[in-house]
Amino acid sequence: MKSVETFSELRKARNELAEPVGFVPTMGYLHEGHLSLVRQAGQECASVVVSIFVNPTQFAPEEDLESYPRDIDRDTSLLEEEGADLVWIPEDEEIYPEDYQSWVLVEEVTKPLEGAERPTHFKGVTTVVAKLFNAVQPQKAYFGQKDAQQAVVIKQMVRDLNYPLDIVVCPIVREPDGLAMSSRNKYLNKEERKAALSLSEGLFQAKKAFQQGVRDADQLRGIVANRVNEEPLAELQYVSCANPETLKEQAGEIEKGLLSMAVFVGETRLIDNVLLK
Ligand code: PAF
């Protein structure tokens, strides 16, 4: 596996790869969720490129940019084991040189959910992903369903800006007890780790109710909220039952839905979701 830092090194190494190229953008501190994307890319593409870049522009000033977990040595050896061909680890100045001024904005689908709570987040995500796509020029790019809104936003950007690539969204990878894998799980102490199970448990209870015939959006949101509210260490930020494609909030009887949530467990903000269909 080759490891590069600059745009020019990346372009040179990328041009030597067999096509089609599959691309997995990450912020590092890799877990099984990321590795499942790398594996799927390896099954579907002749070469796999992974980027590791903790993108400062998608963090608000009060968020965890400084403390975001990093372990480049562990990440590169995991990627080597998974058979990735090229890892790109740019410095901040490579992506955002002095006097940087250009941004990619996706409108409607960035407004609700995460966008409502983190108003500058998706501007940073779409801008960096556009820059990464421009440099890597993959035929396929892989994202996790865990960041459900991010996947919808990136698909919209790819459609609107005519990127010649397919977006592949892979299932959420969970710990054996149901907690969705996330680099931020590292922040949780033992008690918080237990309380964090209220996210997946609430979602699974609602999904079961849906499968048994409960169709009312309010009732489904209520099941999730009640489970989280049982945990003194957990504070629900939002629970949503949205249309999975438009992300518009639904009311009354639903046929399908993206049931998603954000919860503070102690200081740690966690998100999770299930698809109802
Ligand atoms: O999902 C992530 O890890 C990040 O948002 C991404 C897509 C790598 C952009 O920084």
Side-chain angles (χ1 to χ4, degrees):
M1 183 180 72
K2 208 167 195 168
S3 175
V4 294
E5 285 183 18
T6 65
F7 273 99
S8 62
E9 287 169 346
L10 182 269
R11 278 197 200 101
K12 187 167 175 297
R14 190 264 174 250
N15 286 337
E16 288 161 6
L17 293 176
E19 313 268 350
V21 170
F23 176 45
V24 183
T26 80
M27 299 208 299
Y29 209 71
L30 303 180
H31 52 66
E32 210 27 57
H34 299 110
L35 301 179
S36 73
L37 306 181
V38 175
R39 250 169 249 143
Q40 185 151 343
Q43 281 159 15
E44 296 179 356
C45 302
S47 316
V48 179
V49 179
V50 180
S51 62
I52 300 177
F53 179 63
V54 183
N55 175 35
T57 64
Q58 69 188 73
F59 291 78
E62 72 282 5
E63 292 182 350
D64 58 343
L65 173 62
E66 290 312 316
S67 58
Y68 195 83
R70 293 161 168 89
D71 191 343
I72 290 291
D73 290 345
R74 181 174 158 277
D75 288 347
T76 44
S77 64
L78 285 170
L79 291 173
E80 184 108 53
E81 277 169 35
E82 291 299 337
D85 298 280
L86 177 59
V87 59
W88 180 26
I89 313 175
E91 295 288 341
D92 286 8
E93 304 72 52
E94 189 69 22
I95 302 291
Y96 300 111
E98 224 185 284
D99 197 31
Y100 186 83
Q101 321 188 11
S102 301
W103 302 95
V104 176
L105 292 179
V106 174
E107 294 192 339
E108 289 310 311
V109 290
T110 63
K111 287 180 183 160
L113 310 174
E114 289 299 285
E117 301 297 337
R118 307 177 70 194
T120 57
H121 174 67
F122 284 117
K123 176 183 171 188
V125 171
T126 46
T127 299
V128 80
V129 172
K131 287 177 67 93
L132 299 174
F133 283 174
N134 291 343
V136 175
Q137 301 193 358
Q139 278 82 14
K140 289 185 173 211
Y142 295 79
F143 292 84
Q145 174 63 21
K146 161 95 182 338
D147 293 299
Q149 185 174 13
Q150 172 170 277
V152 172
V153 168
I154 298 296
K155 280 187 188 167
Q156 185 73 43
M157 178 186 86
V158 162
R159 249 194 328 271
D160 290 349
L161 300 185
N162 307 99
Y163 276 98
L165 61 90
D166 292 332
I167 298 299
V168 183
V169 182
C170 302
I172 296 177
V173 179
R174 298 182 179 279
E175 301 285 355
D177 60 6
L179 181 69
M181 290 203 184
S182 162
S183 305
R184 291 190 169 100
N185 291 348
K186 179 188 158 59
Y187 299 145
L188 303 170
N189 66 29
K190 209 167 148 211
E191 290 309 305
E192 291 169 343
R193 172 69 182 70
K194 245 169 82 189
L197 285 181
S198 60
L199 282 85
S200 54
E201 286 178 6
L203 291 170
F204 294 162
Q205 284 171 13
K207 186 169 183 169
K208 192 165 167 207
F210 180 80
Q211 284 162 346
Q212 290 171 346
V214 176
R215 289 288 182 276
D216 182 69
D218 257 344
Q219 210 177 330
L220 293 161
R221 282 185 288 261
I223 294 171
V224 178
N226 288 344
R227 176 63 193 93
V228 173
N229 292 337
E230 282 169 16
E231 288 294 340
L233 291 178
E235 194 188 319
L236 186 65
Q237 192 175 46
Y238 69 80
V239 54
S240 154
C241 183
N243 175 294
E245 287 97 39
T246 63
L247 303 182
K248 291 211 162 64
E249 202 56 39
Q250 306 189 102
E253 297 275 300
I254 61 159
E255 279 174 23
K256 59 183 179 177
L258 172 69
L259 198 54
S260 68
M261 68 202 301
V263 175
F264 276 97
V265 180
E267 298 282 290
T268 305
R269 186 175 183 277
L270 300 175
I271 57 172
D272 199 354
N273 69 82
V274 290
L275 279 168
L276 307 175
K277 54 185 173 187

